[in-house]
Amino acid sequence: MHETRKKLKSATIQYEEKIITLEEQRAYLLNFLTLYKNKKVSLDQQITNLFETRKQLKQRVAGMVQKIHTLYESGEINDVISYDKFMEMSDDREERANMFSWPVLPVEVIENFYGDTISF
């Protein structure tokens, strides 16, 4: 009888420890789910903002293209260099063996070089 009582007491202590562990895991999971839900709402809002920004950018580009087309049709930009003339432009860099080590055509400022680290 004494041995059975000892086994039951030991089993009860193990179950109590297991219940405590499970309650800690439950609390952890509830905190995790709360954080996940909050982060998901934030990420969903950022994605929505990104698509709105893309939509606005697309509208701005379409507006600029339309404005350029209108100016071209009206003849107000006749003195601007044409695409064909631009493509015919060259400079002495094209004659060098390493012509692609620098940008071709008229470049006034180099902002980044290959291998530069860019921080965001």
Side-chain angles (χ1 to χ4, degrees):
M1 180 82 169
H2 183 64
E3 192 65 34
T4 306
R5 194 177 206 179
K6 217 177 188 184
K7 287 180 183 178
L8 286 173
K9 187 175 182 180
S10 176
T12 304
I13 290 171
Q14 288 177 352
Y15 284 129
E16 287 174 349
E17 290 174 355
K18 184 68 173 173
I19 288 172
I20 291 170
T21 302
L22 290 172
E23 286 175 351
E24 289 172 353
Q25 289 176 349
R26 180 179 172 265
Y28 172 79
L29 287 173
L30 287 173
N31 286 337
F32 175 78
L33 289 173
T34 302
L35 291 172
Y36 175 78
K37 180 181 176 185
N38 292 342
K39 189 66 171 176
K40 184 176 183 326
V41 168
S42 173
L43 288 175
D44 287 346
Q45 184 62 42
Q46 289 177 1
I47 288 172
T48 301
N49 289 343
L50 174 66
F51 285 123
E52 285 299 316
T53 303
R54 287 181 65 194
K55 183 178 175 182
Q56 292 168 352
L57 180 61
K58 185 177 179 182
Q59 290 172 346
R60 286 182 63 195
V61 168
M64 290 172 66
V65 168
Q66 181 61 38
K67 186 175 181 180
I68 291 169
H69 183 69
T70 304
L71 290 172
Y72 182 75
E73 296 263 325
S74 68
E76 291 182 44
I77 58 171
N78 285 339
D79 60 336
V80 177
I81 189 169
S82 71
Y83 178 77
D84 293 333
K85 288 181 183 176
F86 177 77
M87 292 307 292
E88 290 172 5
M89 291 175 63
S90 65
D91 59 19
D92 64 331
R93 287 179 285 201
E94 293 181 12
E95 305 300 324
R96 291 188 242 150
N98 63 348
M99 75 172 247
F100 287 111
S101 64
W102 288 89
V104 293
L105 299 176
V107 175
E108 296 179 13
V109 176
I110 304 293
E111 294 179 5
N112 291 315
F113 294 93
Y114 180 79
D116 284 355
T117 57
I118 299 173
S119 59
F120 293 100

